[in-house]
Amino acid sequence: EYIIGGKDPGVYMNEGIQIAQRETLVVRDPVVSSVPPFARDLFFPSYQRPDYYSLRFMGFLIKNPDAGTVVGQFPHLFPASIAIGYGLDGLTGARRAVGVWALLGVLAVYFAGKRLAGSAAAWAAAALLTLNVVQVWFSRYPNAEVVMQALTFAALLAFGRAHADDDPFFAPLAGALLGLLLFLRFDSVLG
């Protein structure tokens, strides 16, 4: 399912690799444009809405059936990081992007915890998080949660440094990290 799509991990991987190969977020799919207009409702119905077409592949929305342009259904921050991994090391690099984000997430928890509660508590939190079955599961499975963990805790650390230390560098950094979360998942607006 990572490669053929059909579920979130496959969509993230496919979208990231498409971004790397085509160097654009909007991809032209020649199969979509080859479907005659009279038969389009059989393959990607509009559901009586002129601005919506269903998908040829799960996770990709059709922007324009005449031109055959499709775009991934998820925000593009995580697929862009997969594209960077693909550019560095092909499919192996694309798959490793998830692990890199998971490691960054654990480090962000450690440094934010060290700032808030001290080294011993931060070390315990990072160690317990690393051993937690949920963290291990999401660290090997393409998903946006580990990216959200890394960016949220890094933003909290930057906010703490800006607020407590009055360091002018960290306030815009915290804002930028929280702003990046909006390009990852919509529910990160809660952060």
Side-chain angles (χ1 to χ4, degrees):
E1 70 189 32
Y2 291 7
I3 305 303
I4 63 171
K7 294 187 179 179
D8 291 359
V11 173
Y12 282 125
M13 292 301 282
N14 280 306
E15 188 176 352
I17 292 168
Q18 289 286 339
I19 291 170
Q21 291 176 343
R22 309 292 191 294
E23 297 177 355
T24 181
L25 297 176
V26 179
V27 179
R28 185 180 179 287
D29 188 341
V31 175
V32 171
S33 61
S34 69
V35 175
F38 70 87
R40 286 185 181 150
D41 278 339
L42 294 172
F43 297 101
F44 34 88
S46 64
Y47 299 106
Q48 314 309 324
R49 288 180 50 192
D51 61 336
Y52 175 82
Y53 287 93
S54 72
L55 10 142
R56 173 176 173 226
F57 296 117
M58 198 177 223
F60 285 86
L61 303 176
I62 299 171
K63 288 185 59 73
N64 184 345
D66 295 325
T69 53
V70 298
V71 66
Q73 76 178 23
F74 296 122
H76 304 295
L77 179 65
F78 182 48
S81 68
I82 291 173
I84 292 169
Y86 182 85
L88 293 174
D89 195 20
L91 285 175
T92 301
R95 289 189 307 266
R96 286 182 180 159
V98 182
V100 169
W101 277 113
L103 288 172
L104 291 174
V106 171
L107 286 173
V109 166
Y110 171 76
F111 286 116
K114 183 177 178 182
R115 174 81 182 171
L116 180 65
S119 294
W123 176 254
L128 290 173
L129 181 63
T130 303
L131 296 174
N132 189 306
V133 68
V134 175
Q135 180 74 17
V136 172
W137 175 263
F138 281 118
S139 296
R140 66 165 198 81
Y141 202 68
N143 62 80
E145 282 79 5
V146 292
V147 183
M148 190 171 171
Q149 173 188 359
L151 292 177
T152 301
F153 279 94
L156 290 173
L157 175 61
F159 177 76
R161 286 186 172 268
H163 184 67
D165 298 346
D166 287 329
D167 192 334
F169 171 76
F170 287 104
L173 180 63
L177 289 170
L178 288 173
L180 273 177
L181 283 172
L182 296 176
F183 295 99
L184 179 67
R185 293 176 56 116
F186 180 73
D187 58 350
S188 65
V189 76
L190 297 173

